[in-house]
Amino acid sequence: MGNRTFTMIKPDAVKAGHIGAILEKINAAGFRIVAMKLTKLSQETAGAFYAVHRERPFYQELVDFMSSGPIVSAILEKENAVADFRTLIGATNPAEAAPNTIRALYATSVGENAVHGSDSDENATIESNFHFAACDVYGA
Ligand code: CMP
């Protein structure tokens, strides 16, 4: 069972002023923030981060959206972090997200869905390393 996951508050939620509310939900659910920054992805870095989706029809839309404005990226720590964080954020499509999940509250569409959460311990490590150097991570 892994104890860290990686998240981004996406450009739609940053633009709408939801950083504080989303961090409140993350803290209230028992996650500890061990690394965090406000940053902006370029087309190149967004494209590389989502390279696994390169063949999907929505890839260019995803890259354009994720490089459209500032994001907050963070590494979160909690027992069973990956699964518990995916429960907290809700389904990819906000229309299917459980009530009171972050996406049910703040996402507007399947593409502009407010937050990212890693889907496995392996990807949590890969994604965290993509965004942060080891010296940026508290306790590392
Ligand atoms: P996330 O799960 O964080 O990472 C992959 C992203 O691709 C997903 O969030 C959505 O933002 C996006 N995505 C998935 N399916 C679609 C779709 N059908 N149309 C547009 N974007 C999508």
Side-chain angles (χ1 to χ4, degrees):
M1 200 190 291
N3 66 356
R4 283 186 179 174
T5 192
F6 172 77
T7 188
M8 292 180 285
I9 302 176
K10 297 187 180 184
D12 57 328
V14 172
K15 211 169 295 173
H18 296 316
I19 295 174
I22 291 171
L23 293 178
E24 287 270 0
K25 298 272 295 176
I26 289 171
N27 279 326
F31 291 88
R32 198 165 70 90
I33 297 166
V34 297
M36 185 166 71
K37 65 182 171 189
L38 181 74
T39 186
K40 187 171 181 295
L41 299 175
S42 64
Q43 284 262 326
E44 290 69 29
T45 48
F49 184 85
Y50 285 109
V52 66
H53 295 306
R54 203 184 302 113
E55 306 305 327
R56 305 281 189 95
F58 56 80
Y59 176 69
Q60 192 56 50
E61 181 189 330
L62 176 60
V63 170
D64 289 345
F65 166 60
M66 287 303 296
S67 58
S68 68
I71 63 163
V72 173
S73 60
I75 303 173
L76 307 175
E77 192 170 76
K78 179 187 184 295
E79 200 175 295
N80 203 28
V82 166
D84 285 1
F85 192 68
R86 287 176 75 82
T87 300
L88 178 66
I89 67 179
T92 303
N93 183 348
E96 294 162 10
N100 210 34
T101 57
I102 291 173
R103 283 173 172 158
L105 292 169
Y106 302 117
T108 52
S109 70
V110 67
E112 305 205 357
N113 62 0
V115 280
H116 168 82
S118 305
D119 64 4
S120 66
D121 290 342
E122 187 190 359
N123 282 336
T125 301
I126 292 169
E127 293 168 0
S128 296
N129 291 341
F130 188 96
H131 280 258
F132 294 99
C135 59
D136 296 328
V137 182
Y138 181 79

